[in-house]
Amino acid sequence: MKKGCKFGTHRVIEPKGILPQPAKVISNDMAIYDNEILIDVKTLNIDSASFTQIKEEAGGDEAKIKEIMMGIVKDAGKHKNPVTGSGGMLIGTVAQIGPALEGTTDLKVGDKIATLVSLSLTPLVIDEILEIRMNIDQVDIKGKAILFESGIYAKLPDDIPENLALSVLDVAGAPAQTAKLVKPGQTVLVIGGAGKSGMLCLYEAKKRAGVTGQVICLQHSDKAKDRVMDAGLADDFIVADATDAVDVLRKVEEVTGGNMCDLVINCVNIPNTEMASILATKDDGTVYFFSMATSFTKAALGAEGVGKDVTMIVGNGYTKGHAEITLQIMRESQTLRDIYESLYA
Amino acid sequence: MKKGCKFGTHRVIEPKGILPQPAKVISNDMAIYDNEILIDVKTLNIDSASFTQIKEEAGGDEAKIKEIMMGIVKDAGKHKNPVTGSGGMLIGTVAQIGPALEGTTDLKVGDKIATLVSLSLTPLVIDEILEIRMNIDQVDIKGKAILFESGIYAKLPDDIPENLALSVLDVAGAPAQTAKLVKPGQTVLVIGGAGKSGMLCLYEAKKRAGVTGQVICLQHSDKAKDRVMDAGLADDFIVADATDAVDVLRKVEEVTGGNMCDLVINCVNIPNTEMASILATKDDGTVYFFSMATSFTKAALGAEGVGKDVTMIVGNGYTKGHAEITLQIMRESQTLRDIYESLYA
Ligand SMILES: NC(=O)c1ccc[n+]([C@@H]2O[C@H](COP(=O)([O-])OP(=O)(O)OC[C@H]3O[C@@H](n4cnc5c(N)ncnc54)[C@H](OP(=O)(O)O)[C@@H]3O)[C@@H](O)[C@H]2O)c1
Ligand SMILES: NC(=O)c1ccc[n+]([C@@H]2O[C@H](COP(=O)([O-])OP(=O)(O)OC[C@H]3O[C@@H](n4cnc5c(N)ncnc54)[C@H](OP(=O)(O)O)[C@@H]3O)[C@@H](O)[C@H]2O)c1
């Protein structure tokens, strides 16, 4: 059995020498290296920005979506959307464990796991697409995938249904980071707060900001308003288009009495929302960009352009304990669990 | 005289309603609005990532560079490089001040200033390109520009030559952020540390990390090694290609005794260096991406892909006091001033 690199560089075909995530093409040969884990894949959870793009390209047609997805994997050896650059994650069953991992992993063959590394770097074979759950970005397949030695995963718990776990684990980085960033008494805005990552962020923000804090949800329509407010996820609800920075500025000014926000969390799935996030933040405040549609230069030059001294953080999909924190929310709040079961599972 | 918006939205032609920086086309009509400042431009300092791209596109040919630059301004009303999305800054003389600014600005007609907002949002007219200083990204022009009410600027000091001030002010955000981020005893790596922003970061890092800290400069050749080490800017010098993440990892491991870095500052002017920055950082450490060639998704997914819990910061070109901090370095260190005068002025 061949010896593999911890990061999976041995699988990179083009361009040579770089890591699997930035690579254009990786090998999805399903004969494992000595430090790899083979997974029988059950379901893919496609990243929201990626799936939105694929659905648009396919004009909503299911056969065309299948074709696009099969094409991506055929070309790249992984499901990295060439337009958005993003991936998603998967659940499945451990089928084989490389001998070099014995003693270092707590996994055994037959364990059900969710991979917590992006599909944009995961060697994947799709034999067949069985079912597409259009509204929750989930796709059941017959296929196999490889987890590298440095790859992170979570064992699926018994007390939370698989599809629900998959849905929330996909965005686990966001609530976990929120938990770290929010301090008591702060004003926090979640842009796209009624979305899948958004509601988890609102929940953590409410918990941390406490009774002296103010948590605001921003959506471009009020269709989710009752759901969010009835669940007690936010103190205020703003209806605005996040691409209209000046309108967002005006409405956040209104609802914060001109004080603006200590922390703005961007959870949208569309481009050109950097400026709204920046303008909604106080000087010396923080913007946390979880959205994969964020442009680095738009954020950097945007803040400079309006002379705004804000700390802007790139939403790292991983932070310690993110899976536990997120699954715990589903145990802690029956209200939220009901919402996520009905919307995303 | 027409009343303008603080952020300059009144100048945006396409797409309507957004801010001048993300806009594709803005008006460079030089009749000012009531809250604008008109500047007689002397010199443009083109952002390094942008100028590198333009020089490449022009195959180094001066006439072709002029043509590309004139073309950018003609199409967009500003010097926003359509490939890199970035701008740069300028120096010039205040020619007219909108009446709405009276009493709120300390400027008067005739003052020499550097604008500290990006050229990517600054209405600009180039009548003629007088001289291109190829190696320092500076272009003398005959032309005019507009500063918006929210636009920041620095009055040029008497004790520092104009071209030198322009050069260092262009990258002022980087050393000012370094000053805020580095704590005594920390290990700090500056990737592209021998460049214009890099050396200023090294200088601030050395000062803040102190004798118990370790400051490392990484460059892809050793041609700047003597300059950096003789000036006492770094404790260690690594020669590696920043696009080769695995090689950088290995070399940083070596020089830090396997401990890796508390803070990595990325000051390169080329793409695909996100992974090297992430791998060189300790768990719980920070990566500060000053490079405009940074890709948001490559950073976010890259960190997740290797399960690395690092805080990644988008290099905001502005932070309070950044101009003063940077000009002060030129007063404090004669060694560095000599280097910058010979290289960038
Ligand atoms: N950084 C990471 O590691 C990581 C990991 C996973 C996902 N992500 C990213 O996180 C983002 C959110 O993911 P998600 O699963 O939470 O997506 P989601 O459930 O689709 O949520 C997106 C939210 O944004 C709202 N929205 C869309 N356009 C808007 C506009 N113009 N103004 C205001 N609100 C708007 C949506 O409202 P409607 O439903 O009304 O349209 C929705 O509530 C995506 O960009 C995804 O790529 C990042
Ligand atoms: N965030 C902001 O607001 C802001 C504002 C201004 C500028 N910037 C950005 O900051 C970056 C640096 O600007 P600068 O003026 O300091 O540029 P610079 O003087 O050209 O410095 C770039 C440095 O990177 C080194 N480098 C290039 N390729 C490398 C590689 N493969 N491996 C290792 N080192 C490499 C260069 O070495 P050689 O000289 O040997 O090639 C040089 O030392 C640019 O991307 C610019 O766009 C950002």
Side-chain angles (χ1 to χ4, degrees):
Chain A
M1 198 175 275
K2 282 183 280 184
K3 276 188 194 314
C5 150
K6 183 175 161 190
F7 301 116
T9 50
H10 54 276
R11 293 247 172 206
V12 173
I13 294 176
E14 193 203 324
K16 274 279 171 228
I18 69 170
L19 286 155
Q21 203 283 323
K24 254 181 91 164
V25 186
I26 63 174
S27 158
N28 60 356
D29 178 351
M30 289 294 142
I32 65 168
Y33 283 64
D34 69 335
N35 65 343
E36 294 181 337
I37 292 172
L38 181 70
I39 303 164
D40 272 327
V41 181
K42 195 182 159 214
T43 307
L44 305 175
N45 196 103
I46 307 298
D47 168 77
S48 175
S50 169
F51 205 57
T52 303
Q53 188 279 324
I54 292 172
K55 280 189 289 194
E56 261 172 31
E57 191 183 321
D61 179 61
E62 206 170 299
K64 187 86 187 100
I65 292 177
K66 287 187 185 179
E67 200 181 292
I68 294 172
M69 291 185 60
M70 298 295 273
I72 290 175
V73 175
K74 190 163 164 290
D75 290 347
K78 55 183 182 175
H79 202 284
K80 181 183 182 181
N81 183 317
V83 180
T84 64
S86 58
M89 36 146 349
L90 62 82
I91 51 173
T93 309
V94 175
Q96 192 185 357
I97 299 175
L101 295 179
E102 252 160 56
T104 71
T105 176
D106 61 344
L107 289 180
K108 50 184 196 317
V109 170
D111 279 348
K112 279 190 187 159
I113 61 168
T115 61
L116 300 174
V117 287
S118 175
L119 288 179
S120 66
L121 62 86
T122 303
L124 178 70
V125 166
I126 304 183
D127 295 322
E128 198 186 334
I129 294 183
L130 302 172
E131 193 196 327
I132 300 182
R133 288 190 290 284
M134 206 67 101
N135 294 325
I136 58 170
D137 309 347
Q138 289 187 0
V139 180
D140 287 340
I141 67 161
K142 210 166 124 0
K144 289 196 167 15
I146 300 275
L147 186 68
F148 299 131
E149 186 176 345
S150 68
I152 43 174
Y153 57 82
K155 283 202 217 183
L156 290 174
D158 294 330
D159 60 339
I160 293 173
E162 274 177 24
N163 288 344
L164 178 62
L166 178 60
S167 272
V168 296
L169 287 174
D170 172 45
V171 293
Q177 276 292 355
T178 303
K180 286 192 190 173
L181 288 169
V182 180
K183 304 277 165 298
Q186 285 191 332
T187 300
V188 182
L189 170 70
V190 182
I191 303 186
K196 191 167 72 170
S197 58
M199 284 188 287
L200 293 169
C201 292
L202 286 175
Y203 178 84
E204 278 297 330
K206 269 299 271 180
K207 194 157 113 183
R208 314 276 160 180
V211 284
T212 56
Q214 182 183 15
V215 175
I216 308 158
C217 176
L218 188 149
Q219 281 284 121
H220 64 161
S221 88
D222 63 2
K223 74 173 189 270
K225 182 168 179 180
D226 289 345
R227 187 172 73 225
V228 167
M229 300 309 281
D230 291 350
L233 291 173
D235 301 301
D236 297 280
F237 195 98
I238 293 177
V239 176
D241 180 350
T243 63
D244 185 345
V246 182
D247 188 48
V248 169
L249 169 68
R250 210 173 41 75
K251 287 175 175 161
V252 174
E253 256 170 7
E254 212 169 90
V255 82
T256 61
N259 290 323
M260 311 313 288
C261 306
D262 298 291
L263 174 66
V264 172
I265 302 172
N266 184 319
C267 288
V268 303
N269 54 353
I270 51 147
N272 297 318
T273 63
E274 297 83 0
M275 278 315 302
S277 311
I278 291 165
L279 291 184
T281 310
K282 292 189 181 164
D283 249 313
D284 287 326
T286 300
V287 184
Y288 177 71
F289 286 110
F290 189 66
S291 164
M292 281 294 168
T294 306
S295 150
F296 185 89
T297 40
K298 283 181 190 165
L301 294 174
E304 183 195 80
V306 293
K308 198 93 189 216
D309 193 359
V310 291
T311 301
M312 296 180 283
I313 301 180
V314 177
N316 182 347
Y318 173 67
T319 184
K320 259 183 288 298
H322 69 329
E324 294 72 14
I325 290 175
T326 304
L327 292 172
Q328 190 54 30
I329 297 178
M330 290 296 112
R331 297 188 182 105
E332 227 171 75
S333 165
Q334 187 62 45
T335 318
L336 215 51
R337 180 159 173 168
D338 290 343
I339 294 175
Y340 278 74
E341 290 209 335
S342 78
L343 291 178
Y344 305 118
Chain B
M1 196 175 279
K2 281 182 281 185
K3 279 188 192 313
C5 150
K6 182 175 162 191
F7 302 116
T9 51
H10 53 275
R11 292 247 173 206
V12 173
I13 294 175
E14 194 204 323
K16 275 278 171 230
I18 70 170
L19 286 154
Q21 202 284 325
K24 254 182 90 164
V25 186
I26 63 174
S27 158
N28 61 357
D29 177 351
M30 289 294 142
I32 64 167
Y33 283 65
D34 70 335
N35 65 343
E36 293 181 336
I37 292 173
L38 181 70
I39 304 163
D40 272 326
V41 181
K42 198 183 155 212
T43 307
L44 305 175
N45 196 103
I46 307 297
D47 168 76
S48 175
S50 169
F51 205 57
T52 302
Q53 188 278 325
I54 293 172
K55 280 190 288 192
E56 261 173 31
E57 191 183 322
D61 179 60
E62 208 170 296
K64 186 88 186 95
I65 291 176
K66 286 187 184 176
E67 199 181 294
I68 295 171
M69 290 184 59
M70 299 293 275
I72 290 175
V73 176
K74 188 163 166 291
D75 290 347
K78 56 183 182 174
H79 202 282
K80 180 183 183 183
N81 183 317
V83 181
T84 65
S86 59
M89 35 148 346
L90 62 83
I91 52 174
T93 308
V94 174
Q96 192 185 354
I97 298 175
L101 296 179
E102 252 160 56
T104 72
T105 177
D106 61 345
L107 288 180
K108 52 183 195 318
V109 170
D111 278 349
K112 281 189 186 157
I113 61 168
T115 62
L116 300 175
V117 286
S118 174
L119 289 179
S120 66
L121 62 87
T122 303
L124 177 71
V125 166
I126 304 183
D127 296 322
E128 199 186 335
I129 294 184
L130 302 173
E131 193 197 329
I132 301 182
R133 288 189 289 286
M134 206 66 103
N135 295 323
I136 59 170
D137 310 347
Q138 288 188 2
V139 181
D140 286 340
I141 67 161
K142 209 166 125 2
K144 290 197 166 16
I146 300 276
L147 187 67
F148 298 130
E149 185 176 345
S150 67
I152 43 175
Y153 57 83
K155 283 203 217 182
L156 289 174
D158 294 330
D159 60 338
I160 293 173
E162 273 177 26
N163 288 343
L164 178 61
L166 179 58
S167 273
V168 296
L169 286 174
D170 172 44
V171 293
Q177 276 292 355
T178 303
K180 286 193 190 171
L181 289 170
V182 179
K183 303 277 164 302
Q186 285 191 331
T187 300
V188 181
L189 170 69
V190 182
I191 303 187
K196 192 168 72 172
S197 57
M199 283 188 288
L200 293 169
C201 292
L202 286 175
Y203 178 84
E204 278 297 330
K206 270 297 274 179
K207 194 157 112 185
R208 314 276 161 179
V211 284
T212 57
Q214 181 183 15
V215 175
I216 307 159
C217 176
L218 187 149
Q219 282 284 121
H220 64 162
S221 87
D222 63 2
K223 76 174 188 271
K225 182 168 179 180
D226 289 346
R227 187 173 73 224
V228 167
M229 299 309 280
D230 290 351
L233 292 173
D235 301 301
D236 297 279
F237 195 98
I238 293 177
V239 176
D241 179 351
T243 63
D244 185 344
V246 182
D247 188 48
V248 169
L249 168 69
R250 210 173 41 74
K251 287 174 174 161
V252 174
E253 255 169 7
E254 214 169 87
V255 83
T256 62
N259 290 323
M260 311 312 287
C261 306
D262 298 290
L263 173 66
V264 171
I265 301 171
N266 184 319
C267 287
V268 301
N269 54 353
I270 51 148
N272 297 318
T273 64
E274 296 83 1
M275 277 315 301
S277 311
I278 291 164
L279 291 184
T281 309
K282 296 188 178 161
D283 250 311
D284 288 324
T286 300
V287 183
Y288 177 71
F289 286 109
F290 189 66
S291 164
M292 281 294 167
T294 306
S295 149
F296 185 89
T297 41
K298 283 181 190 165
L301 294 174
E304 183 194 80
V306 294
K308 198 93 189 218
D309 193 358
V310 291
T311 301
M312 296 180 284
I313 301 180
V314 177
N316 182 345
Y318 172 68
T319 184
K320 260 184 285 301
H322 69 329
E324 293 72 14
I325 290 174
T326 304
L327 292 172
Q328 189 54 30
I329 298 179
M330 290 295 112
R331 298 190 181 103
E332 226 171 74
S333 165
Q334 189 60 46
T335 317
L336 215 52
R337 180 157 173 170
D338 291 342
I339 294 176
Y340 277 76
E341 290 209 335
S342 77
L343 291 178
Y344 305 117

